[in-house]
Amino acid sequence: MNTLEIIAVILGLANVGLVVRRSIWNYPFGMAMVALYMLIFWEARLYGEAVLQVFFFVVQAWGWWLWARAGGLVEAVEVSWLEWPARFGSLLAVALVTLTVGWGMARFTDAAMPYADAAITGASVVAQILLSIRRIENWILWIAINVGAIFLYIERGLQLTAGLYGAFLILATMGLIQWIRAERKSEAVA
């Protein structure tokens, strides 16, 4: 455990807590968190996770822009479910990224756990995109990601980060429940 990891954990809790509350202000906390985690994961030889943080930074900037454009700075924005073909496409994307990135890391790097790292990476890419476009399924993916990440981070000696992902698991469950309620009530989400 080091100072960067402690700061990243604090930023991560703020980020996801604000997402659960459907606040657009989750994005600056998230962008700061992923910048730190890029360094932390690279040092732990979790290359997929490290590169994923660059993707997260860009997609969080895009999500911030989308939420602001949809009125998130002034008024509430809506959440909704994906249609079945999009759900299937999302799962297919996760599988393809997992297999290709996992194979590439196993073949060309000294990655510690290439396929587990790749599975979390692939699912995280899809989940972050779904979050940016305010689809409820993002929470289902985050729940699965958090469970896998807890075990991966414990294995790599990142206990504090594993604890953070335990908190993320609780927050993702709360987010799923709240977003389903908002969609059912046709409530706007801010």
Side-chain angles (χ1 to χ4, degrees):
M1 171 173 28
N2 64 41
T3 304
L4 282 183
E5 189 178 6
I6 292 167
I7 295 167
V9 165
I10 293 166
L11 290 168
L13 289 170
N15 169 237
V16 178
L18 288 166
V19 172
V20 169
R21 296 180 61 174
R22 300 174 312 255
S23 169
I24 193 170
W25 298 109
N26 78 82
Y27 288 107
F29 288 95
M31 293 170 79
M33 174 192 65
V34 299
L36 293 178
Y37 268 116
M38 183 185 68
L39 302 171
I40 293 165
F41 289 143
W42 192 266
E43 186 177 287
R45 291 185 9 242
L46 294 172
Y47 305 125
E49 295 293 306
V51 172
L52 179 61
Q53 303 313 302
V54 175
F55 168 81
F56 278 159
F57 191 89
V58 171
V59 174
Q60 287 202 18
W62 176 61
W64 195 356
W65 178 78
L66 285 176
W67 282 36
R69 189 168 172 224
L73 289 171
V74 181
E75 60 184 86
V77 292
E78 296 178 4
V79 296
S80 62
W81 292 96
L82 288 172
E83 298 292 327
W84 278 105
R87 285 182 187 160
F88 177 75
S90 296
L91 293 175
L92 183 61
V94 170
L96 290 174
V97 170
T98 299
L99 293 174
T100 56
V101 171
W103 178 84
M105 285 194 296
R107 176 101 167 102
F108 300 110
T109 75
D110 64 344
M113 299 180 72
Y115 287 97
D117 192 2
I120 291 168
T121 300
S124 295
V125 165
V126 173
Q128 188 64 44
I129 290 169
L130 295 178
L131 174 64
S132 294
I133 62 173
R134 299 174 316 278
R135 296 300 180 260
I136 296 167
E137 287 86 351
N138 87 84
W139 293 114
I140 297 167
L141 276 177
W142 286 124
I143 289 167
I145 292 161
N146 293 330
V147 169
I150 290 167
F151 292 106
L152 178 65
Y153 299 148
I154 289 171
E155 168 65 27
R156 297 308 303 151
L158 298 170
Q159 281 75 18
L160 189 58
T161 300
L164 172 65
Y165 276 73
F168 283 172
L169 178 59
I170 293 166
L171 291 168
T173 303
M174 291 169 54
L176 177 62
I177 292 165
Q178 288 186 18
W179 283 36
I180 289 171
R181 284 181 186 157
E183 192 273 340
R184 284 185 181 158
K185 293 179 181 177
S186 297
E187 289 180 356
V189 178

